[in-house]
Amino acid sequence: MTEQPSSPGQRYRADIQGLRALAIVPVVIYHAMPGWAPGGFVGVDVFFVISGFLITRILMRELETGNFSIARFYERRVRRLFPALYLVLALTLLGGYALLPPDALTDLGKSTGATAAFVSNLYFWKTSGYFDAASELKPLLHTWSLAVEEQFYLLFPIFLFLIYRYLRRHLGIALWTCAILSLGIAVWQAGARPLDGFYLPVGRAYELLIGAIVAAAPLPRIRNDRLADALSIAAIAMIVASIATFHADMRFPGAAALLPCIGSALLLHLGADRDVPPLGGRLLSNPLFVFFGAISYSLYLWHWPVLVYARYAALGEPGPLLVAGAVTFATLAAWLSWRFVEQPFLHGRNQRRAFLAGGATMGITFAAAALLVVTHGLPGRFDAEAQAKLAAANDYNPRRAECHACGTPIAYADNCLFGAPGAQPDTALWGDSLGAEIAVALGEQAAARGGSVMQITTSSCPPTPGFAPGDVAICRNRNRETLAALSRDPRIRTVVLVSAYADYPERERPQMLAGYEETATALRAAGKQLVLVYPIPKQPFPAPLALGLMSRRGMAAGDFGIATQDFQAVNRPFVALLDRLTSKLAARRVVPAERLCDATRCHAWRDGVGMLYFDDLHLSLTGARYVFGPPLQ
């Protein structure tokens, strides 16, 4: 991602700049308008291959000429990475001061420090959790890839030096072996530990090593020009197919990333020994592609925080005009920082000055980041009313960590009870994460009559046996076991089913709906009374954040909320199923929209009640008590 396509003594390759464009443009489109490039995220993997190729080629040239120097290698990294990166960090902090609420600004301070130290991938990996801020609201989330790259290059130059010096004839074998081991780990992580696979360098290393293999390992040369032309077009097609057909819900990177990575490697290899690249390389060498390739590093740095702040400004997904403006601004800023920041610093010759300047910049950035953390995000920027609304983000089930399964299943016998102390449960609430706060509200009602409610909730697991949305591997078995246990539990007379219906991938909905009907039918056959919870409106932005920011801006709370007609349109198939099941199974129903929505808007705030959500989707405890009040009884 961060190395130039040429170095002293090596020819400039415009096709590599074009390949960079084929990486960065889909990334920006994916982040700005995901539907236009559903697999645009593979651009990062293309960058990894390019980086591995270019840096290994430079290191091999220095090893072959006896000029290898670790100090010079890291000087190049400082000159290449630091100027644009620290400029963007500084301006991102200023934007955060203007736009972000205290908790988000505190998190920005932490992530800025992690980015400055090139460990932001570890920070985001460690802090990824249920109550972590949504990824699209983290201004520096994209820096994880820079951290992965730099962690790889902490060890790789030394590894390459040692192999070249002592096992030179086996260099190719060593690179292939490391790449295959890393790929094996990546495949395992994609299924068993997807967060590890995404953020940690071990499972990403094979992508950089593929580039290194092209640069340093013996590969057959394609001498036939027609064959090279055909292969280069096929290589581009591999990348484009990944961009067009991959999607965010698939297992990735794992083995899937091989398709764009091999396509990238093939293009790099085919153009390596030719004065004129093959047809695919010539197509990539057009001036527009070369322009975007030249500014690709700066554009990668700029585009994400600009889009994040556009979301904060819009309090939701920005409209087409704002998106177009944000992308245009990011592109202009990228060109300016490439022209006036990257280029002047890239070709300096004073190594000591480069390291001192880099260290000083890093130290200043750490100090600014620490200031935001120790002051808890400068809350004085918000008045008491705004801070009270922001604090509603903490109005959730106080026993969530204990009672809600998130990754590790909870055995049926260990499910939490809410209600009268020591009372046997006569009601079970079964669902995904939307049910955790509802369980508390129903438990308070049960306590008044001397009963209790069992909470059975698992993140991203609707109550549908045989169905595991995305890669939530525990769902299928847990739901089967739960259905069997509930059916034979004589204490449970009533089962409340709840789900974030429209929040699951559209391609999986038919299977989910079939599983939901299977569950309801089986429970009714077991003699259980059913309560079916209809869809809960999803807000366009985390409600406490939105309403706190609106209060600061002097806007009315009643102006926030998803349009009722949009909510109805998205949830029409789910409402139709629930209507049919209510009639067929003599079930009772709870329709949250009847209390949350009016003719125009589904609200996140009610005067006299308070904040009804603790994020964009989940009802707060206040909201659960309001929606599931005494009329349910």
Side-chain angles (χ1 to χ4, degrees), residues 16 65 94 100 135 172 187 196 219 239 242 251 276 301 426 435 548 592:
I16 293 181
T65 58
L94 288 175
L100 299 184
S135 61
V187 171
D196 293 9
L219 295 174
I239 299 171
S242 305
R251 293 186 176 187
V276 177
L301 291 176
D426 56 9

Side-chain angles (χ1 to χ4, degrees), residues 147-416:
V148 166
E149 201 175 337
E150 291 317 296
Q151 288 157 24
F152 177 82
Y153 291 130
L154 278 177
L155 299 177
F156 181 72
I158 299 170
F159 165 82
L160 195 65
F161 168 77
L162 293 174
I163 295 296
Y164 185 86
R165 182 167 183 177
Y166 298 109
L167 296 167
R168 188 176 311 179
R169 290 187 301 172
H170 304 295
L171 176 61
I173 294 174
L175 292 174
W176 277 103
T177 300
C178 291
I180 291 169
L181 288 173
S182 173
L183 174 60
I185 292 170
V187 171
W188 172 76
Q189 287 175 329
R193 303 180 67 91
L195 274 180
D196 293 9
F198 186 86
Y199 284 118
L200 300 186
V202 176
R204 292 281 188 173
Y206 82 89
E207 301 176 19
L208 292 131
L209 287 166
I210 285 174
I213 288 168
V214 175
L219 295 174
R221 182 179 178 186
I222 308 300
R223 299 181 183 276
N224 185 290
D225 288 341
R226 289 186 177 180
L227 178 58
D229 287 345
L231 288 174
S232 67
I233 296 299
I236 292 176
M238 293 168 73
I239 299 171
V240 172
S242 305
I243 294 166
T245 63
F246 285 11
H247 54 84
D249 300 310
M250 66 188 296
R251 293 186 176 187
F252 195 87
L258 282 172
L259 185 63
C261 288
I262 291 174
S264 305
L266 188 54
L267 283 166
L268 293 169
H269 176 58
L270 290 170
D273 298 321
R274 285 179 165 81
D275 293 330
V276 177
L279 178 58
R282 296 197 298 275
L283 292 174
L284 293 176
S285 299
N286 75 78
L288 184 62
F289 272 58
V290 170
F291 168 77
F292 278 102
I295 68 168
S296 59
Y297 173 53
S298 279
L299 183 54
Y300 185 80
L301 291 176
W302 275 101
H303 85 283
W304 182 249
V306 170
L307 288 170
V308 168
Y309 288 155
R311 293 186 182 100
Y312 272 100
L315 299 180
E317 282 302 316
L321 286 178
L322 184 53
V323 167
V327 171
T328 302
F329 174 83
T331 304
L332 177 60
W335 179 80
L336 289 171
S337 64
W338 169 76
R339 175 67 181 83
F340 297 107
V341 179
E342 283 190 58
Q343 294 300 306
F345 285 92
L346 195 59
H347 303 294
R349 299 190 178 280
N350 190 315
Q351 186 179 94
R352 182 171 179 271
R353 184 178 298 173
F355 284 133
L356 287 174
T361 306
M362 185 180 286
I364 293 169
T365 303
F366 282 139
L371 177 66
L372 298 181
V373 175
V374 300
T375 59
H376 305 290
L378 302 169
R381 297 171 298 135
F382 290 77
D383 62 22
E385 179 185 350
Q387 290 192 44
K389 289 177 176 175
L390 292 167
N394 298 315
D395 184 25
Y396 52 77
N397 185 339
R399 298 174 65 192
R400 251 187 184 262
E402 169 195 358
C403 302
H404 175 69
C406 187
T408 302
I410 298 173
Y412 184 81
D414 296 331
N415 283 314
C416 292

Side-chain angles (χ1 to χ4, degrees), residues 542-631:
L545 277 182
L547 293 168
L549 291 169
M550 289 174 69
S551 177
R552 188 188 189 204
R553 299 173 191 177
M555 300 167 65
D559 293 336
F560 175 77
I562 185 173
T564 299
Q565 64 179 6
D566 293 342
F567 161 70
Q568 291 172 339
V570 169
N571 287 280
R572 193 165 286 120
F574 310 113
V575 171
L577 171 70
L578 293 167
D579 284 343
R580 182 166 58 81
L581 292 178
T582 299
S583 175
K584 172 185 172 183
L585 303 175
R588 289 186 288 166
R589 67 179 198 162
V590 178
V591 185
E594 291 179 351
R595 289 205 161 188
L596 297 173
C597 306
D598 56 29
T600 60
R601 194 180 301 279
C602 297
H603 295 275
W605 172 272
R606 288 290 191 199
D607 290 335
V609 178
M611 191 74 66
L612 305 177
Y613 291 76
F614 71 79
D615 59 10
D616 59 339
L617 179 61
H618 299 81
L619 294 175
S620 62
L621 284 177
T622 299
R625 292 172 180 132
Y626 174 71
V627 172
F628 293 82

Side-chain angles (χ1 to χ4, degrees), residues 59 62 67-74 76 351:
L59 291 173
E62 292 180 344
N67 292 322
F68 175 78
S69 165
I70 286 289
R72 189 163 54 248
F73 173 80
Y74 287 116
R76 285 196 302 265
Q351 186 179 94

Side-chain angles (χ1 to χ4, degrees), residues 516-531:
Y516 192 95
E517 182 166 6
E518 176 190 347
T519 294
T521 302
L523 289 171
R524 193 72 184 100
K528 310 300 180 183
Q529 174 66 49
L530 296 178
V531 177

Side-chain angles (χ1 to χ4, degrees), residues 480-545:
R480 286 198 186 101
E481 293 167 1
T482 298
L483 179 58
L486 279 174
S487 297
R488 63 174 179 259
D489 190 338
R491 302 170 301 167
I492 303 298
R493 299 196 300 271
T494 301
V495 179
V496 181
L497 298 178
V498 62
S499 175
Y501 305 96
D503 217 42
Y504 294 101
E506 191 169 351
R507 67 182 64 84
E508 298 177 348
R509 289 177 188 173
Q511 186 183 358
M512 183 189 72
L513 291 173
Y516 192 95
E517 182 166 6
E518 176 190 347
T519 294
T521 302
L523 289 171
R524 193 72 184 100
K528 310 300 180 183
Q529 174 66 49
L530 296 178
V531 177
L532 305 182
V533 180
Y534 278 55
I536 295 171
K538 183 175 183 178
Q539 300 298 344
F541 201 76
L545 277 182

